[in-house]
Amino acid sequence: MKICCIVSDFPKVTETFALANVQQFRAAGHAARVFHIKPFRSHEIVHPDAREVVEDAMHFGYFTPQTFGLAVRRALRRPMGVARVVRHIVKAFWSQPRHLAVSMMLVPQALALAQKAKEDGVDFFYAEFAGYPATVAWIASRMTGIPFGFSAHAHDIFITQSLLSQKARDAVFVRTISDFNRRFLVEKAHVPMDKISVIRCGVAPGLAEAPAPEAPVDGQPFQLLFVGALLPRKGVDVLLKALAWLPKDTNWRLRIIGGGSQEAALRDLAKTLPEGRVTFDGAQPSDVVHAAMAQAHLVIVPSIEGAEGRSEGIPVVLMEAMAHGRPVIASRLSGIPELVQAGVTGYLVAPGEVQALSTAIGRVMEEYPSALGLARAGQARVLADYNIGKNANALLELIRESK
């Protein structure tokens, strides 16, 4: 089967699941290829085992001769279909000019993809997000008759639900990553319950081979780790402020892996903490991230709700940390409590609560043997329910059922 997997940004270190799904589809014998809407992210770090998928990815510029040439050929075959698509988009986003403008920009690109897919014999369009990737898949499907399905993760459904119900009605399936999202889709976007399948994201089970952590000894510092984009919704400022509340004699070190727009501000905030306690390592390849997790005593994911409803789904970094058998503290946000169950598989705090996060960090330090017990339960949970191979195969089965 030829599967066209549609994403916005590619490659993107914070969306490793998109690459992993394509790799699993290929491993199962299918011709899976990525189409990315935005220009190629040449600055991203690509792990060697993903290079083949990355180099085979496809993109059409928004306003290029190639795009318009392909788009016109498809539009001439389905002129009324194009008119109906435009009418749906205008009706859905009439009161949201930014979303309307972007969605209209996607029409030529989606038409070009439709024409290319017809020429290449594509059997299925799979969009990794319910926002613009699903819009492109929806348009291409309407212009070709090739079926499509899409996944719903987080802010792709939280920011706006306009056009979402139309795309869901026309899709073969809507896959989402949490029960929280399924309820949201039914209640806010009026997606039929029987159209939605909950299939978690996942990580490779081999991560569980890392040695179990031990409490620091002989005056060694307690190693804390944050991994993720340095953006407001990641809550790194909350973490730094929480560390300031710890007793002055607490021996800790925080390693921050990731980059983003807030890095300068966070570096300034870190200067208010004792010198040398916080290091910023920038974005790193996956092998460095996993090595850092293997050395950490505690991984912290202090997410908050961002602007326009941007929020986490279930962060992959949590799955990875738990697969490594590391204790975790995370925010009680979106679908996170489905993975990190308070007092069962980890620790939860209210988003943005500085003192609550500080108290939780102090508790883990003081009761580390108990924290390790929760970590073992968390590791078992990830291996059972968040296995990337098993879950990608479940997603592939949804695609197969469309044929």
Side-chain angles (χ1 to χ4, degrees):
M1 184 188 306
K2 286 190 175 182
I3 305 170
C4 178
C5 301
I6 304 170
V7 299
S8 286
D9 297 283
F10 190 77
K12 194 171 184 181
V13 70
T14 56
E15 296 174 4
T16 53
F17 50 82
L19 260 174
N21 282 336
V22 177
Q23 289 174 303
Q24 288 295 131
F25 297 165
R26 288 186 168 202
H30 299 281
R33 188 179 187 188
V34 172
F35 175 83
H36 51 99
I37 296 170
K38 297 180 182 179
F40 186 79
R41 294 166 64 94
S42 57
H43 62 282
E44 289 284 350
I45 297 170
V46 177
H47 198 271
D49 68 358
R51 192 165 301 281
E52 182 180 351
V53 173
V54 171
E55 292 176 350
D56 189 44
M58 179 172 53
H59 168 72
F60 298 130
Y62 293 110
F63 307 110
T64 66
Q66 180 192 28
T67 299
F68 278 110
L70 289 167
V72 168
R73 287 161 60 188
R74 181 50 39 180
L76 289 174
R77 290 176 173 271
R78 301 288 300 276
M80 294 306 297
V82 175
R84 284 191 288 270
V85 161
V86 171
R87 186 169 65 248
H88 279 304
I89 291 173
V90 171
K91 181 179 179 181
F93 296 115
W94 184 252
S95 62
Q96 302 171 61
R98 183 170 66 85
H99 291 292
L100 174 59
V102 175
S103 297
M104 289 301 295
M105 281 177 57
L106 296 178
V107 173
Q109 198 181 57
L111 291 173
L113 175 61
Q115 180 62 29
K116 179 65 172 171
K118 267 299 191 183
E119 293 173 359
D120 291 350
V122 168
D123 298 298
F124 196 88
F125 294 116
Y126 166 64
E128 192 61 73
F129 291 92
Y132 297 131
T135 297
V136 169
W138 170 69
I139 296 171
S141 176
R142 289 180 72 103
M143 294 300 103
T144 60
I146 299 170
F148 84 103
F150 64 88
S151 285
H153 289 264
H155 57 262
D156 53 329
I157 59 174
F158 300 150
I159 292 176
T160 179
Q161 293 80 55
S162 299
L163 198 62
L164 186 53
S165 60
Q166 178 68 55
K167 290 184 286 191
R169 284 196 299 271
D170 290 348
V172 175
F173 64 80
V174 178
R175 171 272 186 122
T176 193
I177 64 167
S178 68
D179 295 319
F180 178 94
N181 282 2
R182 178 168 56 184
R183 292 191 297 271
F184 184 95
L185 287 166
V186 172
E187 295 169 8
K188 301 294 186 181
H190 311 295
V191 178
M193 178 74 80
D194 61 2
K195 184 65 76 75
I196 306 170
S197 296
V198 176
I199 300 176
R200 313 278 182 187
C201 283
V203 295
L207 299 180
E209 297 170 2
E214 297 180 356
V217 295
D218 300 328
Q220 293 176 341
F222 200 92
Q223 301 290 348
L224 311 175
L225 178 65
F226 169 87
V227 179
L230 303 186
L231 301 173
R233 68 177 181 271
K234 296 297 185 177
V236 187
D237 59 328
V238 178
L239 171 56
L240 293 173
K241 292 172 184 176
L243 293 173
W245 281 82
L246 292 174
K248 300 300 182 185
D249 60 350
T250 306
N251 189 7
W252 56 266
R253 297 288 186 275
L254 170 64
R255 184 177 181 183
I256 296 175
I257 295 179
S261 62
Q262 299 297 298
E263 182 170 347
L266 293 171
R267 284 182 178 273
D268 287 342
L269 184 57
K271 291 175 183 176
T272 65
L273 296 167
E275 187 176 357
R277 294 289 188 94
V278 181
T279 59
F280 290 81
D281 291 354
Q284 297 293 330
S286 58
D287 55 340
V288 175
V289 171
H290 295 315
M293 287 183 176
Q295 296 165 5
H297 295 108
L298 173 65
V299 178
I300 305 170
V301 183
S303 311
I304 61 174
E305 184 170 316
E308 298 183 303
R310 290 182 179 273
S311 180
E312 302 278 19
I314 301 179
V316 173
V317 65
L318 271 175
M319 303 175 208
E320 292 178 337
M322 293 169 72
H324 275 289
R326 267 49 197 171
V328 297
I329 298 175
S331 296
R332 189 178 291 106
L333 184 70
S334 183
I336 291 175
E338 296 174 33
L339 172 62
V340 183
Q341 296 174 275
V344 179
T345 60
Y347 301 83
L348 288 175
V349 296
E353 292 291 334
V354 172
Q355 286 184 273
L357 179 56
S358 181
T359 298
I361 294 170
R363 180 182 175 189
V364 171
M365 291 180 176
E366 293 171 4
E367 304 173 2
Y368 200 59
S370 296
L372 290 177
L374 299 189
R376 286 190 291 272
Q379 185 179 54
R381 176 73 193 284
V382 168
L383 293 178
D385 298 333
Y386 294 81
N387 180 309
I388 185 61
K390 182 176 73 173
N391 294 349
N393 284 334
L395 176 58
L396 182 58
E397 190 58 34
L398 285 180
I399 295 174
R400 285 197 189 103
E401 290 172 359
S402 70
K403 300 303 295 178

